[in-house]
Amino acid sequence: MNSTAGARSSRRSDSPPSRKPNLKAVEAVDTSYLEGLIGYNARRAALAVIEVFLERMSVYDLRPVDFSVLSLVTHNPGITSRQLCTTLGILPPNLVGMVNALEKRDLVERHPHPSDGRAMGLHLTAAGQKLMRSAEKTAAQLEADAAGKLTPAEVKTLIRLLKKVYL
């Protein structure tokens, strides 16, 4: 036997015995740790709502962020891009492309801001107003469906608590 083989075999005998993994089958998955995390629960709830949102808003060709932008323009005619970015946490370069796409769809238009000569205010077009009337009705029904297991008081509490996390 050469010295290298001897060294290898002596190392093997000096190493601790390997432990066999627990080979029990998992009958019921323990999610108790995850279920105690705010992020996990918020994400699970968001995924459940967003899945339905995507289905129902597909008729309007709106993603959640498009809907949010258009909703803010609906309720704040003349809102600036800077205000949209701040409110929604969107980076300006991302918003520019989004607004351009909404403008190409004839949903929004830009007009000079009345007090800031450098800024442009965003306004819905007639087509944008019509689309948002329908889309917001769809969103309201979606919210009612998503909150179907909650009482109105629980819905208010849930929204209040979620806002405490992200505001």
Side-chain angles (χ1 to χ4, degrees):
M1 188 188 299
N2 68 31
S3 62
T4 309
R8 268 189 249 144
S9 66
S10 68
R11 271 188 246 135
R12 272 188 237 135
S13 64
D14 292 343
S15 62
S18 64
R19 297 192 180 193
K20 298 210 181 221
N22 182 354
L23 299 177
K24 273 182 17 182
V26 174
E27 298 298 325
V29 177
D30 179 3
T31 58
S32 58
Y33 176 77
L34 290 175
E35 289 177 8
L37 300 175
I38 294 169
Y40 175 80
N41 286 289
R43 181 73 174 151
R44 291 291 305 263
L47 287 172
V49 173
I50 289 171
E51 181 181 346
V52 176
F53 181 95
L54 292 172
E55 286 173 22
R56 295 189 189 176
M57 290 297 167
S58 66
V59 298
Y60 308 109
D61 193 22
L62 292 178
R63 300 170 300 152
V65 68
D66 299 323
F67 177 82
S68 296
V69 167
L70 288 172
S71 184
L72 286 173
V73 174
T74 298
H75 299 282
N76 302 276
I79 191 169
T80 65
S81 293
R82 180 185 305 243
Q83 290 171 311
L84 284 170
C85 287
T86 301
T87 303
L88 295 174
I90 299 173
L91 294 174
N94 296 338
L95 184 68
V96 169
M98 194 180 321
V99 170
N100 287 342
L102 294 171
E103 200 170 29
K104 281 181 186 167
R105 289 178 59 192
D106 191 37
L107 298 175
V108 298
E109 55 193 10
R110 302 169 207 233
H111 295 287
H113 192 275
S115 60
D116 183 348
R118 299 166 298 153
M120 297 293 278
L122 295 171
H123 300 265
L124 291 181
T125 62
Q129 290 172 9
K130 181 179 179 185
L131 180 131
M132 284 308 291
R133 276 193 298 275
S134 296
E136 285 191 340
K137 284 180 186 171
T138 300
Q141 184 58 55
L142 179 151
E143 288 286 309
D145 295 346
K149 296 177 183 174
L150 304 175
T151 66
E154 288 172 326
V155 170
K156 283 183 178 181
T157 299
L158 178 60
I159 290 171
R160 182 179 53 78
L161 293 173
L162 288 170
K163 284 180 177 179
K164 285 179 99 169
V165 171
Y166 72 84
L167 289 181

